[in-house]
Amino acid sequence: MGNDTISELHIGWFWRSLRRHWILFLCVFLTTLLLVGGALWTLPKVYTGRAIVAVDPRARNTVDIKAVVEGVLGDPAAVSTELEMIRSRDAIRSIAREFRLDRRAEFNDALNDAVDGDGTDASSRLQHARVIDNVARRVSTMTLNASRAIEVSFRSEDPQLAADVANRLVDLYLEAKAAGPVNATSRAALWLDARLDELKERVRRSEGKVEQFRVSSILREGRDPDIIDQQIADWSRQLVTAQAGWQQRSAQLKSAEDAEATRGARGVLALARLPVGERLTIDEASLVRRAAEIGVNSGPNHPRMAEIQEGVKKLQTQMEREARSWVASLRLQQDEAARQVTTIQESLERLQAEKAAMNKAEITLRELEREAAADRSVLEVFLQRSREAREIAPQEPYAEVIARADFPAKASSPNLPVLGGGGILLALLAGGAATLGAEARTRRRYYSIDQLRTDLGLPIHATIPVWDARRHPERLGLARSGRDVAGYASAHPESSVGVAARSLVAGTISWINRNDLSDPVVFTSALPGEGKTTLAVSTALILARSGRRVLLIDADLRRPRVHQVLGETNERGLAQFLTPEEEIAAPDIRHPTSHERLDIVTAGVLPDRTTIEPLHLARLSSFVDTMRREYDVIIIDAPPVLPVPDALLLAGVFKHTVMVVAWNRTARRVVRHAVDQLLEGGAKLSGVAFNKVDQKKLARFDCTESQYLSDRSYRDYLRT
């Protein structure tokens, strides 16, 4: 389905809703329109005075503070600045004081209040501030077509005051513009003098910082950085040489210690290659050789052997002493090389630290010198601006009144056409909202036959129109409206009520013929007050007039009404028959009526308000089976389904049930719940009787039955 079709459906649905509730829509629309009209009538009339002034915001040959700082004379200011000048708070305060606006109720809210301020200074100041705020809200300024022409307007309930205030605001603006150049130049000169003094002091302090740093820093010694760099290079080379010598001494000492550990003194002397070591080695070898010769020739016990061994020991002791002496000298040489490396490193680090301090001092000095130079530059610029400011004579800026405010002949607000159109739109929206709300309420109840068919899925036996007995008091002598409807429907079968009642009978009989003619017909409803008793009596009367013998049983023991509708007594009835203590025969509870071929069984009266219990069903069923042989049709007026379970028991036993639904009364979900309970209890619903239908209102729903019920030819045909 396309969007156009959906839109047409929405429009059609709303139009049908409007047709159904047009009286509500019209009432809400007119009420809203009256309220809006009353509100507009009470609104005070406000007049607007308008004056136009052409301005050139450039102050010619005028020096102001901004021009001094930016280095230009007469910088173009935005027109918005001129707008703010016109509606400045000082101007508003002057207007309020001059025209005594605090004595007018439209500006002073305290005059409209029943209780005034407490009279304190704080209260007075607050009240005055509120007056200024109220006046400021009435002032408006705007440029005309992006030009330099400014419109100044003021709104007031007094038309003359509106024009006078607008003109006075323009005059105050012109006065401020005339005094502006002189004041701006004077302020600029004073500001320049103050700034020049500050800048001179600042330059003095910055230059003093430079000199003080020169005296207190390392730069005061006057050493040449190039000489320090050369010294650092020399000491670096010496450090490399000293480190190489220390490493060589360390290697020699390590070799000597290793030789001593592995070979002893002989290894150390061999590594050292000292002359004394070579001599001691040769002497030791000679003594060892002589001892060997003596041992071979004379044996080991020769006296000379002890002397030789003593000489060998002395030589070994001397060798060890020489080896230790050489190793100790190596250690001394290593320590001396390490001290030399340390001394050179300390000298080199001292020179490097001195070089870093000189670099840092030079950086700080350059920063101080740059600050001093910047301060001197700013001072020179301000000196030049000061000379220029004193050489220029201020001139009056251009500002001219184009049009003064005239007496406003017509109020500017309220704008009746706009507000009236808005009121009409609001009234339409309110009427539409009320219509949609009413439509939502109707959706919760049954308003059309289509809704019944869709929700319940049952055939509609008849649509019985609503009928007011007060319109026909001469037709019947009965007092209650239910008796009027039943009697009128049977006495006047050609009327719309009679036709509807006969349609109900026709639908009921048709269903009976398709099923079982002898089975009783049970009339019930979801809730009380839906007209089931009236329809049951009407059906019985019409069937009796058609020649059938009819028995009408009032099974609503709690609220019996059959005897009231037919004008009979209720002394003995079904309640006594169902009570075991009461020994009443079946024929004794039947009562003939004034209508031929119609008998009734009233409900009867018992103190305990007996209801139909499952134990009573067998006795009641036996009674009905007995009555079938004597009557063509048996009609049972059952209680409502939801308040008590009696209707469910009766509908489960007697399979032919007619559901009565009152138009625009019972909620749809309630009716659906009652029908579901009946179906779950085993009842066979033949159809629905749509009762108490307002034909005119039903015609507003989009269905065929409602259209023919409201058609003029249909009503004329049935008119009595």
Side-chain angles (χ1 to χ4, degrees):
M1 183 180 294
N3 294 331
D4 296 339
T5 306
I6 295 176
S7 301
E8 291 175 1
L9 289 177
H10 290 173
I11 295 173
W13 174 82
F14 181 77
W15 176 249
R16 290 192 298 272
S17 301
L18 189 61
R19 287 180 55 198
R20 289 191 284 271
H21 307 286
W22 68 271
I23 296 178
L24 174 64
F25 175 83
L26 187 61
C27 291
V28 174
F29 175 78
L30 293 178
T31 301
T32 306
L33 207 58
L34 288 175
L35 292 175
V36 172
L40 293 178
W41 183 262
T42 58
L43 290 178
K45 293 183 179 180
V46 178
Y47 298 86
T48 303
R50 292 182 175 85
I52 301 176
V53 59
V55 299
D56 185 357
R58 295 172 297 179
R60 302 174 182 176
N61 293 339
T62 301
V63 179
D64 57 7
I65 297 174
K66 185 176 181 181
V68 171
V69 175
E70 294 183 355
V72 293
L73 300 179
D75 179 59
V79 177
S80 59
T81 305
E82 307 299 319
L83 300 178
E84 294 301 327
M85 286 179 60
I86 296 175
R87 58 172 177 258
S88 66
R89 199 163 183 83
D90 290 338
I92 300 300
R93 190 178 292 107
S94 177
I95 289 293
R97 182 171 55 254
E98 182 176 348
F99 289 93
R100 298 183 178 181
L101 299 182
D102 56 341
R103 300 184 181 181
R104 292 179 176 265
E106 63 174 314
F107 304 106
N108 192 349
D109 298 332
L111 298 179
N112 295 323
D113 298 337
V115 180
D116 203 348
D118 54 8
T120 61
D121 292 340
S123 177
S124 300
R125 288 196 295 270
L126 179 60
Q127 180 178 340
H128 181 69
R130 289 175 178 172
V131 171
I132 299 302
D133 292 338
N134 291 335
V135 176
R137 281 192 287 268
R138 301 294 186 94
V139 177
S140 61
T141 57
M142 59 178 294
T143 58
L144 298 179
N145 300 325
S147 64
R148 295 192 181 277
I150 298 177
E151 180 186 82
V152 182
S153 60
F154 183 77
R155 302 187 306 279
S156 174
E157 297 176 10
D158 185 352
Q160 186 61 50
L161 178 64
D164 294 341
V165 171
N167 290 327
R168 184 56 182 155
L169 283 172
V170 171
D171 294 338
L172 290 175
Y173 170 72
L174 294 178
E175 293 173 3
K177 291 290 287 184
V182 177
N183 294 334
T185 302
S186 300
R187 288 194 301 270
L190 293 175
W191 184 81
L192 277 172
D193 292 340
R195 290 294 296 164
L196 285 174
D197 294 338
E198 293 177 3
L199 287 173
K200 290 177 182 179
E201 179 62 23
R202 184 173 177 179
V203 169
R204 186 187 64 79
R205 286 197 302 268
S206 60
E207 290 179 348
K209 288 180 181 179
V210 172
E211 295 301 326
Q212 183 179 2
F213 185 78
R214 286 181 184 275
V215 174
S216 60
S217 67
I218 193 174
L219 298 177
R220 70 180 185 278
E221 299 177 1
R223 297 189 61 181
D224 190 353
D226 295 336
I227 296 178
I228 295 178
D229 292 338
Q230 183 63 38
Q231 291 177 349
I232 291 174
D234 294 341
W235 281 110
S236 298
R237 287 192 294 272
Q238 292 179 16
L239 177 62
V240 171
T241 303
Q243 289 176 343
W246 175 80
Q247 291 175 355
Q248 183 180 3
R249 298 294 185 274
S250 298
Q252 290 178 354
L253 177 62
K254 182 67 169 57
S255 300
E257 290 175 346
D258 293 341
E260 184 180 12
T262 56
R263 296 168 56 192
R266 291 186 183 88
V268 174
L269 293 177
L271 180 64
R273 295 181 181 180
L274 297 175
V276 63
E278 294 178 357
R279 183 177 57 79
L280 291 175
T281 302
I282 294 172
D283 292 344
E284 181 186 18
S286 177
L287 289 176
V288 171
R289 191 169 50 253
R290 288 178 61 190
E293 291 175 355
I294 292 173
V296 172
N297 296 326
S298 302
N301 296 323
H302 191 274
R304 295 241 352 142
M305 291 293 290
E307 181 180 352
I308 293 172
Q309 290 177 355
E310 182 67 22
V312 170
K313 289 181 180 179
K314 289 180 179 180
L315 288 175
Q316 289 177 350
T317 302
Q318 188 176 0
M319 290 173 64
E320 291 176 357
R321 186 169 54 251
E322 292 295 334
R324 285 194 298 273
S325 176
W326 187 68
V327 171
S329 66
L330 288 178
R331 287 194 180 94
L332 291 175
Q333 292 176 5
Q334 183 193 31
D335 294 340
E336 180 64 24
R339 284 194 295 273
Q340 185 178 4
V341 169
T342 302
T343 302
I344 294 174
Q345 284 180 342
E346 291 175 352
S347 300
L348 181 60
E349 290 175 356
R350 186 171 59 255
L351 287 174
Q352 290 175 343
E354 184 178 356
K355 177 62 176 178
M358 290 183 66
N359 291 336
K360 185 177 180 180
E362 288 180 354
I363 293 173
T364 304
L365 180 61
R366 284 195 293 270
E367 291 178 353
L368 293 175
E369 289 176 345
R370 283 196 297 270
E371 291 179 1
D375 292 339
R376 284 193 296 270
S377 299
V378 174
L379 178 60
E380 292 175 359
V381 171
F382 271 79
L383 288 173
Q384 180 65 24
R385 298 291 180 267
S386 178
R387 287 192 293 269
E388 293 175 354
R390 285 171 172 77
E391 292 175 357
I392 298 175
Q395 297 180 2
E396 184 176 337
Y398 173 76
E400 180 182 3
V401 178
I402 298 178
R404 287 194 168 271
D406 295 330
F407 183 88
K410 184 172 63 174
S412 58
S413 65
N415 192 337
L416 294 181
V418 174
L419 295 179
I424 294 174
L425 179 60
L426 179 62
L428 290 173
L429 293 177
T435 301
L436 294 178
E439 182 68 16
R441 288 193 298 273
T442 61
R443 296 292 173 179
R444 294 195 292 267
R445 300 175 182 176
Y446 286 110
Y447 263 73
S448 71
I449 300 174
D450 293 339
Q451 292 175 335
L452 279 174
R453 286 200 183 101
T454 303
D455 281 6
L456 305 181
L458 298 173
I460 310 302
H461 286 331
T463 302
I464 296 89
V466 66
W467 188 82
D468 191 357
R470 291 172 296 183
R471 298 175 54 189
H472 307 277
E474 74 285 353
R475 303 288 178 89
L476 296 169
L478 304 176
R480 300 182 61 84
S481 61
R483 294 166 63 188
D484 291 342
V485 174
Y488 186 76
S490 61
H492 300 82
E494 74 283 357
S495 65
S496 59
V497 178
V499 170
R502 285 191 289 117
S503 298
L504 174 60
V505 172
T508 304
I509 296 301
S510 174
W511 194 89
I512 291 175
N513 291 333
R514 292 196 303 270
N515 293 273
D516 185 4
L517 182 63
S518 61
D519 201 23
V521 180
V522 179
F523 279 80
T524 186
S525 61
L527 295 175
E530 299 194 57
K532 61 178 181 57
T533 300
T534 302
L535 292 185
V537 173
S538 300
T539 303
L541 289 173
I542 293 174
L543 289 172
R545 284 181 179 273
S546 65
R548 290 181 175 86
R549 287 186 53 80
V550 181
L551 177 62
L552 176 59
I553 301 175
D554 191 352
D556 192 351
L557 303 183
R558 289 179 175 270
R559 297 178 63 181
R561 291 189 65 249
V562 171
H563 66 282
Q564 296 177 355
V565 174
L566 294 175
E568 304 293 337
T569 61
N570 189 27
E571 296 178 357
R572 287 188 174 187
L574 186 63
Q576 286 80 11
F577 178 75
L578 296 178
T579 304
E581 292 80 6
E582 299 283 343
E583 295 182 359
I584 301 176
D588 296 339
I589 63 175
R590 290 182 298 174
H591 303 285
T593 64
S594 58
H595 302 277
E596 187 178 0
R597 293 182 295 279
L598 174 62
D599 295 338
I600 64 171
V601 176
T602 61
V605 178
L606 285 180
D608 58 353
R609 303 187 70 175
T610 302
T611 60
I612 298 176
E613 302 293 341
L615 297 176
H616 300 156
L617 291 177
R619 187 174 177 86
L620 179 59
S621 179
S622 176
F623 170 75
V624 171
D625 289 340
T626 303
M627 295 298 105
R628 285 179 179 176
R629 292 190 291 270
E630 301 182 25
Y631 295 95
D632 298 325
V633 180
I634 299 176
I635 297 176
I636 300 176
D637 179 23
V641 175
L642 298 181
V644 291
D646 300 12
L648 297 177
L649 297 174
L650 293 172
V653 175
F654 307 111
K655 302 301 183 179
H656 177 35
T657 303
V658 176
M659 188 71 178
V660 179
V661 178
W663 180 83
N664 188 26
R665 186 181 186 279
T666 309
R668 296 169 65 173
R669 57 183 179 83
V670 174
V671 176
R672 288 195 297 267
H673 181 57
V675 171
D676 292 340
Q677 285 194 350
L678 289 173
L679 294 176
E680 291 173 1
K684 292 184 178 180
L685 295 174
S686 65
V688 178
F690 204 15
N691 195 25
K692 300 181 180 181
V693 176
D694 189 331
Q695 294 179 351
K696 292 184 178 180
K697 293 183 179 180
L698 183 64
R700 300 171 191 161
F701 285 80
D702 191 17
C703 58
T704 305
E705 291 84 353
S706 62
Q707 291 175 1
Y708 81 71
L709 284 172
S710 62
D711 190 82
R712 181 180 299 274
S713 61
Y714 175 82
R715 295 198 302 269
D716 293 341
Y717 184 79
L718 297 178
R719 183 172 296 153
T720 58

